[in-house]
């Protein structure tokens, strides 16, 4: 029987024989997609130092934007919960078990994107997860059945993508019901001692050798049995890589292997993926065509005091601190009591400032005029009031050792994905260019801190969904289309409905159905999910 985690994930089934915790196939109820949920237990079963190493590792992996790496969506060190992308397809390990071995042309086609992926990991100082065969998955386009495709030749497959899971965990989790004191053993992908010359090419050669029917144990004994599927030149390239002088990188090894294989020109070409998504058309309800209110701050105030308000700013800077009146993201420590209030008071009203410099998001300590009360740190590096620090793909911002949050910039789409079919009839301002290559920046409290309100820095748009409890969830997945989206467009705030389970209700009776977009203005009342919000724009 399925069960839920925090009204967000529905656990569907558990995978057997998983090391380093329990792994479930689960449904993300907010975004209606299948994900992998791994439970490591409280504090991940780790002492503070290795637990911090694991946090650093996962945050590092979350900063690697590569289409052939499976994404790590979320990690909570206190509960030991990791949420990852679930690849809808088949693992190379299962494929090899069914096929015994692959033809050389099939193996070269299947692994064609892997050399560049492994070299990318090497450049980012991330060792290859071992064993490599068990960390690779084939993701098929559409609803293709992996079971039926596993036994067919690769040149008859639909479009597919090879995905690598870059995270390696191994060991046992302490069972709370027994006296076993064993703990999780974590392989930190960033340990420099594991980055060696030829490390990547050798792992790639071992993988290819096994896919073509070779026996790994003979290679481990410094022996090489020639593969009948490879000609002499191809066997010479593999033998050199496994037993003699390794290549400098995977790309050079792969190039030599292709050049040595006499049948390279007969390797089937992978199907071309459709890279341009169709542009979706949206419609402004007729009664809102004269609705226009330019502004740089949007506040949605809930009528229910137990519901979090929403604060979006499109101004030139984004502030973080404990003052709800002065900070865009509020860092109060909850629940309110004497101890937590004392900790909150050690934070400045505005503790850190984010700004745009040279088309990049930067951070400074303090309120822009002076330093904070007790300093701020970005990924272990102290921030200063006068010298901006560039934000990487995402980062962990810690304020005075009291409050930690993840700051997550969302990259801008290269091309417009939507249009409004009746925009010419709208009476609002003309078009304005997006100033930076970002869609938005969202903040998420870490270390168990509670959110006091939803706050985001809006450049173009930020997607969201509603979980099973009706709570808003920002879309930081980096894939797919969000059920709903806030836009900053032509100097105004908009709300778009793609696929919310319950349509947005404007006022008492106007429904913002699927495929409709609403220009927001003061005085409107929105029902999002089951909650009512009053619109305020500054």
């Amino acid at each position: 029987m399925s069960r839920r985690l925090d009204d967000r994930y529905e656990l569907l089934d558990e995978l057997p024989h998983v090391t380093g915790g329990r792994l479930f196939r689960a449904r993300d109820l907010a975004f209606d997609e299948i994900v992998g949920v791994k439970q490591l237990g409280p504090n991940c079963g780790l002492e503070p130092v290795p637990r911090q190493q694991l946090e650093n590792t996962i945050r590092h992996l979350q900063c690697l934007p590569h289409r052939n790496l499976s994404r790590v969506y979320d990690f909570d060190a206190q509960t030991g919960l990791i949420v990852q992308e679930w690849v809808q397809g088949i693992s190379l390990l299962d494929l090899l078990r069914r096929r015994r071995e692959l033809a050389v042309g099939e193996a070269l086609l299947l692994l064609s994107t892997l050399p560049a992926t492994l070299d990318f990991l090497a450049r980012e100082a991330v060792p290859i997860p071992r064993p490599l065969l068990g960390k690779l998955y084939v993701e098929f386009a559409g609803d293709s059945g992996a079971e039926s495709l596993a036994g067919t030749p690769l040149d008859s497959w639909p479009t597919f993508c090879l995905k690598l899971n870059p995270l390696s965990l191994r060991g046992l989790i302490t069972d709370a019901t027994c006296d076993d004191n064993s703990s999780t053993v974590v392989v930190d992908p960033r340990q420099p001692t594991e980055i060696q010359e030829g490390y990547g090419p050798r792992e790639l050669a071992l993988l290819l050798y096994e896919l073509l029917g070779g026996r790994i144990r003979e290679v481990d004994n410094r022996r090489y049995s020639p593969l009948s599927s490879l000609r002499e030149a191809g066997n010479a390239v593999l033998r050199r890589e496994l037993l003699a002088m390794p290549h400098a990188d995977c790309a050079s090894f792969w190039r030599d292997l292709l050049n040595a294989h006499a049948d390279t020109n007969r390797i089937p070409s992978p199907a071309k993926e459709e890279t341009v998504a169709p542009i979706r058309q949206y419609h402004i309800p007729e009664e809102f065509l004269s609705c226009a209110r330019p502004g740089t701050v949007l506040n949605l105030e809930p009528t229910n005091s137990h519901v979090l308000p929403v604060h979006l700013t499109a101004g030139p800077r984004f502030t973080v601190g404990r003052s709800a009146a002065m900070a865009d993201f509020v860092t109060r420590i909850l629940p309110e009591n004497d101890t937590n209030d004392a900790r909150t008071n050690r934070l400045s009203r505005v503790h850190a400032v984010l700004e745009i410099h040279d088309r990049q998001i930067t951070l400074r300590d303090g309120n822009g005029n002076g330093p904070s009360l007790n300093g701020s740190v970005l990924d272990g590096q102290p921030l200063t009031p006068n010298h901006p620090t560039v934000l990487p793909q995402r980062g962990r911002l810690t304020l005075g050792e009291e409050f930690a949050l993840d700051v997550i910039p969302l990259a801008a789409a290269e091309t417009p994905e939507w249009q409004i079919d009746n925009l010419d009839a709208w009476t609002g301002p003309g078009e304005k260019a997006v100033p930076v290559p970002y869609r938005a920046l969202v903040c998420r409290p870490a270390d168990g801190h509670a959110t006091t309100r939803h706050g985001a820095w809006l450049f173009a748009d930020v997607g969201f969904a509603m979980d099973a409890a009706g709570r808003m969830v920002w879309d930081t997945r980096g894939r797919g289309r969000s059920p709903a989206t806030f836009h900053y467009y032509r100097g105004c705030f908009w709300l778009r409905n793609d696929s919310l389970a319950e349509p947005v209700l404007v006022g008492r009776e106007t429904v913002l159905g699927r495929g409709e977009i609403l220009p927001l203005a003061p005085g409107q009342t929105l029902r999002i999910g089951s909650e009512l919000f009053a619109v305020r724009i500054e």
Side-chain angles (χ1 to χ4, degrees), residues 11 16 141 191 230-231 246 292 301 318 334 338 384 499 502 508:
L11 303 183
Q191 287 293 334
L230 283 178
R231 297 191 177 183
E301 305 291 350
F318 188 81
L334 301 177
D338 291 343
T384 63
S499 58
E502 294 185 41
R508 293 185 176 181

Side-chain angles (χ1 to χ4, degrees), residues 39-316:
Q39 294 179 321
L40 303 180
N43 295 313
C44 306
L46 295 170
E47 296 298 322
V49 172
R51 172 185 157 184
Q52 185 62 53
Q53 290 175 343
L54 176 59
E55 280 196 88
N56 293 340
T57 295
I58 292 180
R59 294 215 320 273
H60 182 58
L61 293 175
Q62 288 177 313
C63 293
L64 303 181
H66 197 286
R67 66 182 301 272
N68 296 117
L69 297 179
S70 61
R71 300 173 178 87
V72 181
Y73 291 146
D74 201 5
F75 174 57
D76 188 326
Q78 287 191 329
T79 61
L81 193 70
I82 301 176
V83 181
Q84 288 185 267
E85 176 184 0
W86 184 272
V87 179
Q88 305 283 3
I90 187 171
S91 73
L92 257 61
L93 183 60
D94 286 340
L95 179 65
L96 188 59
R97 285 170 176 166
R98 295 165 186 249
R99 297 282 297 273
R100 301 292 183 179
E101 63 182 77
L102 303 181
V104 63
E106 290 182 314
L108 294 178
L109 169 62
L110 185 61
L111 303 182
S112 60
T113 61
L114 186 57
T117 305
L118 298 182
D119 286 340
F120 172 81
L121 291 180
R123 289 193 300 272
E124 297 291 336
V126 179
I128 299 167
R130 296 175 177 176
L132 187 57
L133 182 65
K135 290 290 186 177
L136 287 164
Y137 302 84
V138 182
E139 182 178 54
F140 295 104
D143 298 325
S144 305
E147 297 293 327
S148 60
L149 292 171
T152 61
L154 267 70
D155 57 1
S156 66
W157 283 7
T159 302
F160 67 88
C161 176
L162 193 65
K163 286 288 187 79
L164 172 65
N165 178 7
L167 182 62
S168 289
L169 299 176
R170 59 183 174 85
L172 298 173
I173 297 294
T174 301
D175 187 347
T177 63
C178 69
D179 295 328
D180 185 5
N181 291 322
S182 59
S183 61
T184 308
V185 179
V186 179
V187 180
D188 187 346
R190 299 186 303 160
Q191 287 293 334
T193 56
E194 293 194 23
I195 300 292
Q196 305 169 11
E197 184 178 1
Y199 172 69
R202 175 178 168 80
E203 292 296 317
L204 178 57
L206 284 171
L207 174 66
L208 182 63
Y209 187 70
E210 189 170 5
L211 289 177
L212 296 178
R215 296 187 176 184
I216 296 298
R217 65 174 181 270
E218 295 181 357
V219 174
D220 291 341
N221 291 331
R222 306 296 295 173
R223 296 170 55 194
Y224 179 85
S225 298
L227 300 172
S228 58
S229 56
L230 283 178
R231 297 191 177 183
E232 183 177 352
N235 276 298
V237 173
L238 267 184
R239 183 184 297 109
R240 172 197 165 190
E241 183 58 49
L242 294 173
L243 303 179
M245 182 181 298
H247 288 76
D249 51 39
C250 293
S252 60
F253 161 65
W254 197 251
R255 185 170 54 250
D256 287 351
L257 187 67
L258 292 179
N259 291 336
H261 189 260
D263 294 330
T264 299
N265 58 351
R266 296 213 303 263
I267 298 174
S269 299
K272 295 291 185 180
E273 289 194 52
E274 185 65 37
T275 57
V276 179
I279 297 177
R280 293 197 176 189
Q281 295 286 338
Y282 292 90
H283 186 80
I284 305 173
E286 184 175 350
E287 59 266 40
F288 297 106
L289 287 174
S290 60
C291 177
R293 174 60 187 270
T296 58
V297 176
L298 168 67
N299 287 299
L300 301 183
E301 305 291 350
T303 57
N304 183 347
S305 61
H306 298 291
V307 175
L308 294 179
V310 179
H311 175 91
L312 301 177
T313 180

Side-chain angles (χ1 to χ4, degrees), residues 457-533:
W457 193 7
L458 196 57
F459 301 107
D461 58 78
V462 58
F464 69 94
M466 311 298 291
D467 68 9
R471 297 171 300 191
M472 184 177 292
V473 179
W474 292 128
D475 189 352
T476 58
R477 299 171 301 162
R479 61 174 294 172
R481 189 175 293 273
S482 305
T485 305
F486 287 109
H487 290 281
Y488 190 66
Y489 182 55
R490 298 197 174 191
C492 298
F493 292 97
W494 303 69
L495 175 60
R496 175 180 102 188
N497 181 13
D498 269 291
S499 58
L500 284 179
E502 294 185 41
V504 175
L505 186 66
V506 187
R508 293 185 176 181
E509 56 185 20
T510 303
V511 172
L512 186 70
R514 298 188 180 191
E516 292 190 321
I517 188 168
L518 171 71
L520 297 175
Q524 292 172 337
T525 300
L526 304 179
R527 191 191 73 191
I528 303 176
S530 59
E531 302 299 337
L532 294 175
F533 297 86

